Amino acid sequence: MKWTRQDLKSYIQAKAYVDTVLVPLIPVSFEKMDEDMIAIAFQKEVLDIMVLELEKEFKGRILALPPYIYESIDQDEVRRLNRFTEKMDKLPFRHIFYISFDQGWKVKEKDLDGTLIWIPVAKDGDIHAKVTQNMVKDHIQQIRDLIKNYWNS
Amino acid sequence: MSEDKKKQVSRRQFLNYTLTGVGGFMAAGMLSPMLRFAIDPVLKAQGGGDFVAVVEVDKITTEPQRFDFTIEQVDAWYESEVTKSAWVFKQEDGSILALSPICTHLGCVVSWEGSENHPERFYCPCHDGLYYKDGVNVPNTPPTEPLHVYDYKIQDGMLYLGKAKPREEA
């Protein structure tokens, strides 16, 4: 389910069945080299598609949140993210997944309260090209299996 | 004098003619689109409209296979291409059944033999919902109604799918 009026209505009806939140972590920063800004924008586009597809596949069990925006990753940011998720943890969400392409989170992984799904996304490409699409599809397939594994464990 | 009068157009007549003429024009301008809207369904080209070619009929087996196809979807803000999927197979009597993969419980995507523990069933990974091959939900699993069925037609050896509809009777 998505963070929309319609889906939240269904979520409220079916809270007991929705035990997983998916939080996309998206960096937004102007203090980067021009190419790096383009790269994070492109990676964000790819991540959007992944989240959309995962949500579609697991609509009845996953609540996909709007992106969590940050500028840079430091100890403060880690705390802010943990605080944000802490509240969800109090609701009966059994699984909290962060999804990100940013290596910065991978390094801090052990300090995070939720489960990090880190995907190395290419820094440049054409989102409409067949190659990119196939790569993204393959990634989605693997993340799907990963999530299922977490559910079954 | 009277002959003279006949040839001349009086002010009253002139005004009458012009007003009727202009009025008539305006009325026609307003009425003709209305008329067009009223009989619009008659003017629309028949058939084809909502059906999308999905796969050659001879590729369909008795084992359900998943086929993806795209449709144009228009909502209030965007016109977009949406990918849909169907589980298609030949039934024992030779007819084709195209099932929507959307679980009727909470909308996850089901797959044929999606779980090793449940052969010969459609399986929903979210809450272990199960359906028999014909799309009917297995009792005592979360779904409460069968998988929806696509309208289909066959033309020139191609399978065309329309809208997925709920089963009337299960």
Side-chain angles (χ1 to χ4, degrees):
Chain A
M1 293 170 194
K2 294 188 280 279
W3 190 258
T4 59
R5 170 179 173 269
Q6 199 57 50
D7 281 8
L8 281 186
K9 277 186 180 172
S10 346
Y11 163 66
I12 285 161
Q13 301 274 312
K15 271 187 190 169
Y17 289 104
V18 185
D19 67 348
T20 306
V21 259
L22 188 61
V23 191
L25 307 178
I26 304 285
V28 174
S29 167
F30 287 92
E31 289 171 350
K32 284 185 189 287
M33 309 280 278
D34 291 352
E35 312 85 85
D36 290 340
M37 275 165 62
I38 294 171
I40 57 173
F42 172 72
Q43 290 173 310
K44 187 246 177 210
E45 283 186 69
V46 175
L47 201 70
D48 280 348
I49 293 175
M50 288 179 176
V51 171
L52 206 71
E53 289 297 314
L54 288 170
E55 188 274 332
K56 210 162 114 182
E57 197 82 17
F58 296 134
K59 194 175 188 60
R61 189 160 175 186
I62 283 187
L63 181 62
L65 294 191
Y68 176 91
I69 309 286
Y70 60 93
E71 203 175 354
S72 60
I73 302 169
D74 50 22
Q75 241 16 73
D76 279 348
E77 193 49 67
V78 171
R79 269 196 295 275
R80 187 171 79 107
L81 178 58
N82 279 339
R83 232 182 5 251
F84 177 59
T85 344
E86 195 186 359
K87 288 168 193 147
M88 288 175 230
D89 217 15
K90 284 184 188 140
L91 298 168
F93 281 117
R94 282 179 47 224
H95 303 275
I96 293 167
F97 291 112
Y98 309 122
I99 183 163
S100 172
F101 49 78
D102 192 334
Q103 305 168 359
W105 291 115
K106 184 73 193 149
V107 178
K108 301 269 190 223
E109 191 175 7
K110 60 178 188 320
D111 300 329
L112 297 175
D113 291 344
T115 311
L116 177 72
I117 302 174
W118 176 70
I119 320 142
V121 175
K123 288 196 160 178
D124 197 12
D126 177 2
I127 199 98
H128 302 292
K130 208 73 217 163
V131 202
T132 323
Q133 281 178 8
N134 287 339
M135 193 194 72
V136 171
K137 270 186 197 155
D138 186 59
H139 272 145
I140 293 169
Q141 175 72 45
Q142 293 191 40
I143 305 167
R144 221 159 53 195
D145 293 346
L146 179 70
I147 291 178
K148 276 195 232 170
N149 274 332
Y150 270 101
W151 281 346
N152 293 333
S153 65
Chain B
M1 182 71 183
S2 67
E3 238 170 68
D4 229 24
K5 237 187 179 170
K6 255 184 194 161
K7 274 189 189 162
Q8 266 189 354
V9 180
S10 74
R11 183 191 303 263
R12 182 180 298 253
Q13 270 175 317
F14 173 75
L15 280 176
N16 258 347
Y17 291 154
T18 41
L19 281 185
T20 337
V22 172
F25 243 115
M26 286 165 68
M30 277 164 60
L31 282 176
S32 55
M34 282 187 198
L35 190 71
R36 233 206 95 92
F37 281 132
I39 60 165
D40 187 56
V42 184
L43 297 175
K44 270 233 171 90
Q46 267 296 312
D50 292 339
F51 282 84
V52 184
V54 175
V55 66
E56 290 96 343
V57 173
D58 50 21
K59 288 213 178 119
I60 300 170
T61 57
T62 50
E63 190 73 7
Q65 289 171 278
R66 182 175 166 163
F67 295 106
D68 294 340
F69 57 102
T70 48
I71 56 158
E72 301 264 308
Q73 188 173 287
V74 186
D75 65 29
W77 305 97
Y78 300 111
E79 188 172 318
S80 49
E81 279 195 345
V82 181
T83 306
K84 297 241 174 194
S85 309
W87 286 99
V88 185
F89 63 98
K90 264 198 190 97
Q91 285 173 297
E92 267 159 32
D93 62 357
S95 67
I96 286 170
L97 189 62
L99 294 168
S100 157
I102 307 295
C103 183
T104 54
H105 175 221
L106 285 170
C108 297
V109 176
V110 304
S111 43
W112 177 245
E113 304 197 323
S115 161
E116 285 157 20
N117 305 330
H118 303 285
E120 294 280 307
R121 297 279 184 277
F122 287 101
Y123 174 72
C124 175
C126 287
H127 306 106
D128 301 322
L130 291 172
Y131 302 86
Y132 299 109
K133 190 177 179 182
D134 62 1
V136 174
N137 49 311
V138 175
N140 302 322
T141 67
T144 50
E145 65 169 311
L147 292 171
H148 293 188
V149 176
Y150 281 102
D151 283 341
Y152 78 94
K153 63 181 186 185
I154 294 167
Q155 221 169 18
D156 306 323
M158 281 294 278
L159 175 77
Y160 289 75
L161 294 184
K163 289 212 158 52
K165 290 186 179 147
R167 292 281 175 92
E168 267 145 39
E169 250 315 287

